[in-house]
Amino acid sequence: MLEIADFIPSKYNNTIDRGSFSWSAPSNIALVKYWGKKDKQIPANPSVSFTLNNCKTITSLAFAKKQNDGNFSFDLLFEGKPKEDFKPKIQKFLERVEVYLPFLKDYHFTIDTQNTFPHSSGIASSASGMAALAMNFMSLEKALNPAMTEEYFLSKASFLARLGSGSACRSVKGQVVVWGNQSNIKRSTDLYGVEYPYEIHPVFNNFQDTILLVDKGEKQVSSTVGHDLMHNHPFAERRFAQAHENLDKLIPVFKNGDLEEFIKIVESEALTLHAMMMTSLPYFILMKPNTLQIINAIWKFRNETKIPVCFTLDAGANVHVLYPNEFKENVLQFIKAELVGYCQNGQYLCDEIGNGALSN
Ligand code: PMV
């Protein structure tokens, strides 16, 4: 397991004047949720997620050597066009990671980024975006230090992505990723995401996630504010303990493919996440009436058909519908017949479990 000090490089052997890299990184969907953090993006509890496959950010990083004048220098393009309002977030990220990437002020960067999912679909691009950017910076660091191991590369990319947006650290690898220290999961750490290290039943192969776009508007409460409201939250300590318990309970579930138990844990986690929002001060609700309509329709369908389909939620109104690949046709038919009416403009995205970031 790597410690913070391992991510502060000593001198580089190589020099490189200019070049470019390009990486794609997927979004991820948490089964056990991260909600609440300590200083420096250290999670208050461990989480586990499925890495997705189709909802991705693709980012290229062009770099050219400049005089180190003590400033960061970068242009930011979104779908090829300058995007000034993304710049403060990137500036903050560069400030946070500079100590781990001491070459950052030696280059001018052009960051060109795009998403495969529709703009403002209510799907956060921060996880995939920060992971893709971190992979690019690691490619540059590897060019400066070619002896770097693959494991170090990936762990540090996840470590850097975490400093951009916590859940982004789970988007570097696939298919099931744990972030946060959990005594029963070897090598798990608060510092970066690790591939789930134990047996996973084949029922989870190509596991499906159909994302129902219920509300594509701006969230009224950002996840940064939401995490903060877990400080002094009346149920915080119990909630953090519960996340540890649920993660432990998932270990045998992943192994034996017990979907009944899987569904209980995953749906309870989703509702608990939103219960934390509803019981913080100030309190808030991110679910919409159609979120509840969908949840009820899924429960009814599951009862009637015995098909093991369940839902989870992230910090918004959209619903992730999770189910084994073998039921894809039946569930898509159900979604088209009964759920699209609850989606904004009838929109939904078909995704599935995937393998993590890829170099283009
Ligand atoms: O990574 P952040 O700070 O945007 O937090 C995301 C938190 C949830 O999506 C609600 C849960 C999770 O574990 O991804």
Side-chain angles (χ1 to χ4, degrees):
M1 207 156 74
L2 295 160
E3 301 298 337
I4 291 183
D6 297 316
F7 295 121
I8 300 177
S10 41
K11 260 184 76 129
Y12 298 119
N13 309 323
N14 258 18
T15 57
I16 177 163
D17 284 344
R18 55 176 59 242
S20 70
F21 299 105
S22 177
W23 281 89
S24 71
S27 187
N28 70 74
I29 182 68
L31 306 172
V32 171
K33 308 288 181 181
Y34 151 59
W35 198 244
K37 61 181 161 188
K38 304 175 203 162
D39 200 23
K40 303 225 165 79
Q41 307 275 93
I42 295 298
N45 65 258
S47 55
V48 64
S49 53
F50 284 157
T51 304
L52 296 183
N53 195 51
N54 304 334
C55 290
K56 292 191 282 199
T57 299
I58 304 159
T59 301
S60 66
L61 177 79
F63 54 96
K65 200 94 183 219
K66 70 164 181 76
Q67 193 77 296
N68 185 337
D69 57 0
N71 292 313
F72 297 115
S73 170
F74 66 97
D75 295 317
L76 188 89
L77 309 177
F78 180 67
E79 295 175 345
K81 296 192 198 87
K83 184 90 177 161
E84 289 303 309
D85 37 327
F86 282 7
K87 284 187 90 172
K89 205 168 176 191
I90 304 293
Q91 173 78 24
K92 201 168 151 205
F93 174 67
L94 297 177
E95 285 164 15
R96 274 197 191 164
V97 300
E98 188 193 0
V99 50
Y100 309 108
L101 300 172
F103 55 80
L104 288 178
K105 287 178 176 159
D106 297 335
Y107 293 96
H108 174 77
F109 297 106
T110 305
I111 301 165
D112 194 345
T113 187
Q114 64 191 84
N115 298 326
T116 59
F117 44 92
H119 189 47
S120 72
S121 55
I123 300 196
S125 59
S126 56
S128 52
M130 285 299 172
L133 186 59
M135 295 304 279
N136 279 305
F137 282 126
M138 285 312 296
S139 282
L140 178 49
E141 182 166 66
K142 189 167 165 67
L144 297 169
N145 172 22
M148 179 186 296
T149 65
E150 176 83 359
E151 197 200 335
Y152 182 87
F153 183 106
L154 293 170
S155 304
K156 184 164 175 181
S158 174
F159 172 86
L160 297 173
R162 185 195 103 239
L163 293 169
S165 169
S167 59
C169 77
R170 298 188 313 239
S171 277
V172 165
K173 286 214 180 185
Q175 296 195 347
V176 180
V177 176
V178 176
W179 167 40
N181 188 20
Q182 172 84 345
S183 51
N184 288 333
I185 300 185
K186 66 179 180 206
R187 288 197 287 277
S188 60
T189 165
D190 288 347
L191 297 181
Y192 51 92
V194 297
E195 219 171 311
Y196 177 75
Y198 307 122
E199 198 179 330
I200 299 176
H201 192 275
V203 76
F204 295 107
N205 291 348
N206 302 102
F207 215 72
Q208 299 291 304
D209 179 4
T210 305
I211 309 165
L212 306 180
L213 305 179
V214 172
D215 188 60
K216 304 191 286 170
E218 274 282 298
K219 279 186 271 177
Q220 311 103 302
V221 182
S222 71
S223 57
T224 310
V225 172
H227 286 294
D228 262 359
L229 292 173
M230 288 305 282
H231 291 123
N232 305 317
H233 189 292
F235 307 135
E237 286 318 308
R238 188 64 200 91
R239 159 59 197 156
F240 300 146
Q242 179 201 40
H244 283 274
E245 290 155 18
N246 281 341
L247 188 47
D248 272 345
K249 285 189 196 162
L250 276 177
I251 296 172
V253 169
F254 282 140
K255 186 174 174 184
N256 59 30
D258 178 351
L259 290 178
E260 207 173 307
E261 191 60 20
F262 177 81
I263 288 170
K264 274 190 211 156
I265 297 166
V266 168
E267 292 190 344
S268 163
E269 275 289 322
L271 294 178
T272 300
L273 169 70
H274 285 258
M276 291 299 111
M277 300 172 189
M278 291 193 263
T279 48
S280 61
L281 276 176
Y283 42 80
F284 58 104
I285 302 180
L286 294 184
M287 291 185 288
K288 297 284 180 194
N290 282 348
T291 310
L292 298 180
Q293 297 281 18
I294 290 169
I295 291 173
N296 279 303
I298 290 173
W299 284 345
K300 186 161 174 274
F301 175 78
R302 190 167 74 217
N303 253 331
E304 286 169 2
T305 61
K306 306 295 169 215
I307 290 176
V309 50
C310 69
F311 72 87
T312 189
L313 307 166
D314 55 18
N318 295 337
V319 181
H320 290 248
V321 186
L322 300 177
Y323 50 97
N325 191 36
E326 67 169 297
F327 297 108
K328 192 168 169 177
E329 246 172 67
N330 310 35
V331 176
L332 283 178
Q333 207 176 359
F334 157 64
I335 287 173
K336 282 180 208 154
E338 294 187 44
L339 303 184
V340 282
Y342 300 122
C343 301
Q344 218 172 31
N345 308 322
Q347 274 187 293
Y348 61 93
L349 304 170
C350 293
D351 212 332
E352 61 184 353
I353 196 166
N355 294 319
L358 283 175
S359 164
N360 298 314

